Amino acid sequence: MGRKKYIHFEVSERKILLRIIDILAIVLGLYILESSFNFDYLRIEQDTIIDLMVLAVYITVFGTIFEIYDLRQSSKLDVTFRNIVFTVSTSVLFYLFTPVLTPFLPEQRLQILYFYICLITMIFLWRWAYIAFVSAPRFYKKVLLVGDVSNIENIVKPLNEKDPNYKIVGFINAETNVPSPITFKGLKEFKSSDLLHVIKEEKISEILVASYNSENITSAIYHDLITLLDRGFIIREYTQVFEELTYRVPIQFVGKDFYKYFPFSRSNQNTLYLFFHRTFDILFSVLGLILGICILPLILIGNLIANRGPLFYVQERVGQNGKLFKIVKLRSMIVNAETNGAKWAQINDVRITRFGKFLRRARLDEIPQFINVIRGNMSIIGPRPERPFFVKELSAIIPFYETRHIVKPGLTGWAQVNTRYGASVDDSLTKLQYDLYYIKHRSLFLDLNIFVKTFSTILYYRGQ
């Protein structure tokens, strides 16, 4: 059986496609506007290339903040429309108020309205087409799971949640003496002897091998996999796909060969990268403290009315290489909140004051930590520093937990922009997976991505 290609789009391809067609749709819309309504605020010609590039940058940056490039959000038409309106509104506002980089305001102010409506309409029409056609089932990547089935729900569920276009259509039990579980949410079970037949009938594009121990795979399945590999068929290992789709390191599948999963980023030892990282930390911390001083009167009033007690509190945290340091925060809990010992913060935690809830969700309680960044205890971007009590508890339960301490802790991080506040061991496991992904792939591009996504976290009020 030769390899037959079926049309589907990878995650990276869809993200690039969304960005490119967004810009092309805008250019087409401006051309139609120029041709039909005597629109001259932003023409499509050689002299306006810089103006068009600035507009593209604004749309891309604010589109990232307002999540129009999030694949899960982009598959929902109502959410997509809302995010497009936010993106275009902010982009147009910045575009109008940066005349040094963009065209001067037109004499006919009505042209601004045409410009605004044009951008929303063209992007929305393209996104409707994307949802109707590109995200349609005909373009799903159909995958066959081969491997251990005793933990099948925990294998399939994260991939389905992260990318609905990555469709695991069924599984083959590769373990010799382990009975198959009850079918997981319509997931078909196929006989191992029918592997080659299933690939053809189900139009499978990829085989996903998920096994804690490759020695458990039967010799018959192993032979079929080798045959398929020789014919150019795509066969991938589960942890590789998990990391690629979820942007997390699946430490629950890491065993004694852990060294295979942790080729940490060279940026962790790159002197030039660390220099620019530290320079950014200091500059942004100074700006953050200036902002904090500007809003301090409002915080003082809020603390006086709804917090009642000390404005700041100091707490011990674990830093880089396990070194302890004192963190400074705006107090968000009642005084003496932990007289009975340390506890996880919960949703609707009764210990959090009314004003403290606002501070947490808006991330304003973190402002004093800019002092820690300037001192060198922390960075702007990195894993969140945890308390020694919880580090000791989690290290005894979760493997590789203390690995997150090889870099400086941060004000914001990859886990913070992808998950909510951790309130349990399971939440801490998920956060650790994100933290290890950051350490493994640390780079200027990833730092910039986290920085931009942090605005999304603040704007959508996702703190706890």
Side-chain angles (χ1 to χ4, degrees), residues 83-231:
N83 292 345
I84 288 172
V85 171
F86 287 155
T87 298
V88 172
S89 299
T90 310
S91 298
V92 169
L93 190 64
F94 271 76
Y95 199 76
L96 295 176
F97 285 95
T98 52
V100 175
L101 302 172
T102 57
F104 289 102
L105 295 178
E107 293 182 4
Q108 296 180 353
R109 296 295 189 260
L110 195 60
Q111 292 206 9
I112 296 175
L113 180 61
Y114 293 158
F115 179 58
Y116 176 71
I117 293 175
C118 173
L119 298 190
I120 290 179
T121 302
M122 295 306 296
I123 296 178
F124 179 73
L125 287 175
W126 147 236
R127 292 312 185 92
W128 172 83
Y130 171 83
I131 292 172
F133 301 104
V134 179
S135 288
R138 69 174 68 92
F139 291 119
Y140 285 174
K141 173 184 271 190
K142 295 184 178 181
V143 181
L144 179 66
L145 179 65
V146 175
D148 303 342
V149 297
S150 52
N151 197 26
I152 192 168
E153 182 171 352
N154 291 330
I155 292 174
V156 175
K157 190 176 179 181
L159 303 184
N160 285 346
E161 288 178 349
K162 196 65 180 180
D163 183 11
N165 285 34
Y166 190 87
K167 189 70 172 178
I168 299 178
V169 298
F171 68 93
I172 288 179
N173 187 353
E175 298 176 280
T176 44
N177 299 317
V178 179
S180 297
I182 299 172
T183 302
F184 171 64
K185 291 184 180 179
L187 204 63
K188 299 178 184 177
E189 180 182 4
F190 301 103
K191 295 180 181 179
S192 58
S193 57
D194 294 335
L195 175 58
L196 302 180
H197 177 72
V198 169
I199 289 173
K200 182 178 180 181
E201 290 299 313
E202 297 291 333
K203 299 181 179 179
I204 300 297
S205 300
E206 180 175 299
I207 288 179
L208 185 61
V209 179
S211 179
Y212 292 101
N213 184 359
S214 58
E215 297 299 324
N216 292 336
I217 298 177
T218 64
S219 57
I221 292 178
Y222 178 77
H223 179 268
D224 287 341
L225 291 177
I226 291 293
T227 301
L228 289 169
L229 185 67
D230 289 341
R231 295 173 182 175

Side-chain angles (χ1 to χ4, degrees), residues 238-405:
Y238 176 76
T239 56
Q240 176 190 3
V241 175
F242 182 96
E243 187 171 328
E244 182 182 296
L245 293 184
T246 66
Y247 305 109
R248 291 151 45 188
V249 174
I251 57 173
Q252 67 272 35
F253 291 94
V254 176
K256 293 181 179 179
D257 54 350
F258 64 90
Y259 45 85
K260 294 180 181 178
Y261 301 90
F262 297 115
F264 289 134
S265 172
R266 294 180 181 178
S267 296
N268 295 324
Q269 306 297 328
N270 187 303
T271 304
L272 186 61
Y273 167 81
L274 295 177
F275 170 77
F276 282 116
H277 202 272
R278 181 59 182 159
T279 302
F280 171 78
D281 283 348
I282 294 173
L283 292 176
F284 195 80
S285 295
V286 171
L287 293 175
L289 289 174
I290 292 172
L291 174 63
I293 292 171
C294 292
I295 64 174
L296 183 59
L298 297 175
I299 293 176
L300 285 170
I301 294 172
N303 184 72
L304 183 65
I305 296 173
N307 235 2
R308 297 184 181 180
L311 181 62
F312 301 99
Y313 83 96
V314 178
Q315 197 175 63
E316 197 171 54
R317 297 291 175 99
V318 179
Q320 187 176 21
N321 299 322
K323 184 178 180 181
L324 300 179
F325 70 99
K326 300 289 186 179
I327 197 173
V328 185
K329 296 187 73 174
L330 291 175
R331 185 177 59 85
S332 59
M333 287 189 174
I334 59 175
V335 179
N336 299 323
E338 295 186 335
T339 52
N340 296 322
K343 296 180 180 178
W344 293 100
Q346 302 289 337
I347 296 175
N348 299 321
D349 198 320
V350 294
R351 297 173 300 166
I352 302 175
T353 66
R354 288 179 296 166
F355 187 60
K357 185 178 292 186
F358 165 74
L359 290 176
R360 284 188 171 218
R361 290 193 171 181
R363 300 295 174 103
L364 294 177
D365 62 322
E366 314 285 3
I367 287 178
Q369 290 172 56
F370 287 121
I371 297 172
N372 292 105
V373 176
I374 292 175
R375 287 176 178 172
N377 304 131
M378 294 176 61
S379 179
I380 296 296
I381 297 171
R384 285 295 296 157
E386 193 52 84
R387 298 165 63 180
F389 173 83
F390 291 123
V391 169
K392 184 178 180 180
E393 180 183 41
L394 293 170
S395 298
I397 301 171
I398 303 175
F400 311 108
Y401 186 81
E402 294 195 62
T403 309
R404 69 199 297 273
H405 298 138

Side-chain angles (χ1 to χ4, degrees), residues 48-66:
T48 62
I49 290 178
I50 301 298
D51 300 333
L52 291 168
M53 289 177 64
V54 172
L55 178 61
V57 169
Y58 282 160
I59 292 292
T60 301
V61 171
F62 291 114
T64 302
I65 293 174
F66 291 108

Side-chain angles (χ1 to χ4, degrees), residues 24-56:
L24 293 179
I26 288 172
V27 172
L28 176 61
L30 292 174
Y31 178 76
I32 294 172
L33 201 60
E34 176 186 332
S35 305
S36 306
F37 296 95
N38 196 28
F39 178 81
D40 59 4
Y41 173 57
L42 181 57
R43 291 181 170 275
I44 308 301
E45 52 190 31
Q46 188 172 356
D47 294 338
T48 62
I49 290 178
I50 301 298
D51 300 333
L52 291 168
M53 289 177 64
V54 172
L55 178 61

